[in-house]
Amino acid sequence: MIIVMKADVLPGSPEVEQVVRTAERYPNVHAEVRTIQGATRTLTEIYLLGSTAQIPLEPFEEFDAVEKCIRIRERYRSIGRHEGQAVEVGFEYNGVRFSQDTFHVFPGVCAVDTPENLEEMFRALRSEGIETTRAGAYKPRTSPYDFQGHGKACLPWTFELAGKYGLKVIAMEIVHEGQVQEIRDALRLAGNPTGVMLQIGTRNAQNFELLKAVGQQHEFPVLFKRGMGITLDESLNACEYLAAGGNHKIIFGLRGMKTNLGDPHRNFVDFGLVPTVKRMTRLPVCVDPSHSVGKRVVAPDGILDIEHVTAQGIIAGANMVLVDFHPHPEQALCDGPQAMLLSELPTFLRDAEIVREAYLKRRALK
Ligand code: PEP
Ligand code: MN
């Protein structure tokens, strides 16, 4: 059950305390207070968790400060958009705001290789005014003989370089819960020059123990990538593990599905689901055109396949684009064939801007 408070009734106020006290009088009921910073108002929602089926709505509806009570019957209790929940849930991390209304591009390397290449990448981002990037230190690879990422050894110089070039958020995959502490320690040692968005990769989408651990830490936001071979419902349920642990700074990522029906692309592009996920949940939605298409090929109109599907994601309302670039793709230790060139970065960003503007214009027609 969710108790939605009237506008600007904030956590810690006597009104909120009264609702929490009333709820927790019922056996096995726990109240979790959440603040949602919407575009025009701050919203406080109190989630009643546990044995809530028998709790009547009336005692709560009678409080003056309560706007409405919502009984959750559907799945995705925490990430779901339940009847009457119109306000999108956003969050801010390291000065950057993420919600179903915002838009950020995260161009960067699939895997961190050398300090020289990373610096070239970051310099190009700064010259384009980009403050968000991707850089993998821990790589889940199909073959044990492939490059597995430099791991914690590259964190100090990766974070230092990010700080030097004004990058505020780095999307970085983790494959084991112990890596959260490695990242935390390295950030602290470097003087917190940047921030990290933990990425749960498609291969770990149903690694429930990892999801629980990442959900129980509330410091880092999480980019959860849809499982490549499971249904959307299964992915959303898996994503719910993060929120069930109390971490609500979540972005849901679409990155294509594994099936030969998408050939010759690496994965079958699923960006038509952007509005669907936004309707089913209140999470910002990311698209990853690089891991969907998997190759840097150009269509006869001169536009790369990666750019075409990026546009498809953005025109559908995507809030984030995660995309692979590399200063020297032929030297890349992971996913070189899908990396775009730094010389292509300005056009890529301009193209994304054009499509985002078109999306906003389409929305304004409604
Ligand atoms: C990645 O982003 O580098 C990655 C491995 O993505 P995915 O988990 O979608 O394959
Ligand atoms: Mn990759």
Side-chain angles (χ1 to χ4, degrees), residues 32 34 76-80 88-93 97-100 102 196-200 211-212 214-226 235-253 277-278 281-286 319-320:
E32 190 187 295
R34 295 194 205 162
Y76 328 132
R77 281 188 185 205
S78 206
I79 62 170
E88 31 95 28
V89 198
F91 63 88
E92 193 167 310
Y93 173 67
R97 179 153 178 82
F98 297 91
S99 78
Q100 286 195 343
T102 58
V196 169
M197 176 181 285
L198 302 174
Q199 194 174 311
I200 300 290
L211 294 169
K212 281 184 205 167
V214 171
Q216 278 158 16
Q217 66 76 37
H218 303 162
E219 179 181 355
F220 300 108
V222 189
L223 168 61
F224 173 90
K225 284 198 171 181
R226 173 189 194 179
S235 283
L236 291 172
N237 270 302
C239 187
E240 179 79 14
Y241 271 86
L242 296 168
N247 188 338
H248 303 294
K249 296 181 218 156
I250 307 171
I251 294 180
F252 190 87
V277 177
K278 287 171 87 171
T281 76
R282 296 197 287 173
L283 305 178
V285 178
C286 171
N319 305 108
M320 171 171 161

Side-chain angles (χ1 to χ4, degrees), residues 77-335:
R77 281 188 185 205
S78 206
I79 62 170
R81 180 187 289 283
H82 304 288
E83 200 187 330
Q85 283 185 310
V87 179
E88 31 95 28
V89 198
F91 63 88
E92 193 167 310
Y93 173 67
N94 209 25
V96 184
R97 179 153 178 82
F98 297 91
S99 78
Q100 286 195 343
D101 269 341
T102 58
F103 180 67
H104 300 283
V105 183
F106 280 58
V109 293
C110 176
V112 172
D113 44 32
T114 67
E116 293 74 26
N117 282 340
L118 197 65
E119 181 147 20
E120 225 178 310
M121 179 75 235
F122 286 177
R123 195 182 297 120
L125 295 178
R126 189 175 59 186
S127 70
E128 290 299 326
I130 295 285
E131 296 179 327
T132 47
T133 188
R134 57 162 295 147
Y138 309 95
K139 300 305 301 177
R141 300 305 298 278
T142 304
S143 162
Y145 308 113
D146 287 340
F147 174 63
Q148 307 282 310
H150 288 308
K152 75 173 178 187
C154 69
L155 299 181
W157 48 269
T158 298
F159 294 155
E160 191 195 313
L161 284 171
K164 178 172 170 188
Y165 289 96
L167 292 160
K168 292 192 175 147
V169 187
I170 308 175
M172 180 176 278
E173 178 163 1
I174 56 157
V175 295
H176 186 275
E177 62 175 278
Q179 292 155 356
V180 180
Q181 192 58 40
E182 291 180 2
I183 290 172
R184 189 181 287 122
D185 290 344
L187 278 172
R188 193 174 304 124
L189 266 171
N192 292 309
T194 185
V196 169
M197 176 181 285
L198 302 174
Q199 194 174 311
I200 300 290
T202 194
R203 290 161 189 80
N204 277 314
Q206 284 186 310
N207 182 342
F208 300 117
E209 295 308 314
L210 179 64
L211 294 169
K212 281 184 205 167
V214 171
Q216 278 158 16
Q217 66 76 37
H218 303 162
E219 179 181 355
F220 300 108
V222 189
L223 168 61
F224 173 90
K225 284 198 171 181
R226 173 189 194 179
M228 64 170 102
I230 56 177
T231 63
L232 183 63
D233 174 61
E234 287 164 333
S235 283
L236 291 172
N237 270 302
C239 187
E240 179 79 14
Y241 271 86
L242 296 168
N247 188 338
H248 303 294
K249 296 181 218 156
I250 307 171
I251 294 180
F252 190 87
L254 296 169
R255 46 81 72 207
M257 303 301 295
K258 194 176 186 69
T259 155
N260 290 346
L261 301 178
D263 289 355
H265 287 169
R266 181 174 175 180
N267 286 293
F268 196 77
V269 180
D270 54 352
F271 299 169
L273 290 176
V274 169
T276 315
V277 177
K278 287 171 87 171
R279 183 174 63 246
M280 293 168 85
T281 76
R282 296 197 287 173
L283 305 178
V285 178
C286 171
V287 292
D288 177 342
S290 306
H291 289 82
S292 301
V293 169
K295 49 169 76 118
R296 195 194 152 281
V297 285
V298 187
D301 56 13
I303 299 173
L304 269 69
D305 284 16
I306 292 173
E307 294 175 314
H308 271 295
V309 303
T310 300
Q312 289 159 17
I314 300 173
I315 202 72
N319 305 108
M320 171 171 161
V321 176
L322 189 76
V323 56
D324 289 8
F325 277 81
H326 197 286
H328 308 283
E330 69 291 350
Q331 293 172 12
L333 298 175
C334 182
D335 286 348

